Amino acid sequence: MSLADKLRPHLPYLRRYARVVSGSQSSGDSFVNATLEAIVADPETITAGDNLRVQLYKAFCKIWESANLEVERDEGDTVQNHLRKIPPISRQILLLTSLEGFSTDEVAEIVDVGVNSINGLLEDAILEIENELRSDVLIIEDEALISMELEQIVTGLGHKVCGTATTHKGALAAVAKSKPNLVLADIQLADGSSGIDAVKDILAQFTVPVIFITAFPERLLTGERPEPTFLITKPFQPNAIRAAISQALFFTPAQQDA
């Protein structure tokens, strides 16, 4: 099996990570493409027999860090101003542990930071982001136990659940009563309707960050159309939801009518 074939299964998840850590789909995809070009130019970047996923993310992080992005301050409550408040290394550690599921040792290798420093940087990042915004959240999920678990996670972070829905129609009714600052959405809903369609109709009314939570990520991570920046695969870890909520609110501009 060629190196390209070995790396291909990891690319959708690297794209997801890149989009969140950079703040946009286009920027994230550019960094992933640069990473792949660097690997092609120097195949020895990836060592046979070792953890290919760790090596791939490590190669990406070197490209990301070499960009040395500086964020200028804007007027008002903007993504740029949020970014100024948390160091890039802490953002990476938060995502690598909570969203991507790497162990502490693996994260230390990826970002080239001592293992003993990882936990402190992670806690700093979480506290900074969670204190930044408190928001109203809409949950679109037809499985009652999962919906309850999501509600506990949301309220545990200090946010408010402004509505829950199990169908496309129910989601639009909930939005009509209260505009959320964040939407958590499953794809397959109770009456056979689509969470994707519900989200499209919501976004037609106003701009709001969306986190898709699904057992079928391949339906969204196709690489052929606009894809969600925030995607969690079922079964999920609570910390993955926590990190995604914090990142979605952190990186997304204030709500605007479409």
Side-chain angles (χ1 to χ4, degrees), residues 9-20:
H10 303 302
L11 294 181
Y13 302 99
L14 180 63
R15 287 204 305 270
R16 173 184 65 181
Y17 169 76
R19 290 167 182 179
V20 179

Side-chain angles (χ1 to χ4, degrees), residues 145-156:
L145 291 178
I146 293 179
S147 181
M148 290 174 60
E149 183 176 5
L150 292 175
E151 186 167 353
Q152 290 175 349
I153 293 171
V154 167
T155 56

Side-chain angles (χ1 to χ4, degrees), residues 195-211:
I196 297 175
D197 291 338
V199 165
K200 287 181 179 178
D201 286 344
I202 292 171
L203 293 178
Q205 299 178 47
F206 58 93
T207 299
V208 62
V210 178
I211 301 173

Side-chain angles (χ1 to χ4, degrees), residues 82-137:
H82 293 326
L83 286 171
R84 288 170 58 89
K85 297 180 180 180
I86 180 170
I89 186 64
S90 296
R91 257 196 340 266
Q92 291 182 71
I93 291 171
L94 171 66
L95 290 167
L96 290 168
T97 54
S98 300
L99 190 61
E100 299 302 320
F102 286 108
S103 68
T104 300
D105 288 343
E106 289 172 333
V107 172
E109 180 178 350
I110 290 170
V111 300
D112 196 22
V113 170
V115 174
N116 294 335
S117 301
I118 296 296
N119 289 335
L121 290 168
L122 174 60
E123 189 60 29
D124 288 346
I126 291 174
L127 290 175
E128 185 66 56
I129 295 174
E130 289 177 1
N131 289 332
E132 184 67 21
L133 294 172
R134 293 290 182 264
S135 303
D136 291 340
V137 181

Side-chain angles (χ1 to χ4, degrees), residues 24 55 62 82 99 178 246-247:
S24 75
Q55 293 183 71
K62 288 182 178 179
H82 293 326
L99 190 61
S178 177
S246 298
Q247 290 285 334

Side-chain angles (χ1 to χ4, degrees), residues 32-47:
V32 170
N33 289 338
T35 301
L36 296 177
E37 290 172 0
I39 292 174
V40 170
D42 183 11
E44 293 185 2
T45 300
I46 305 296
T47 306

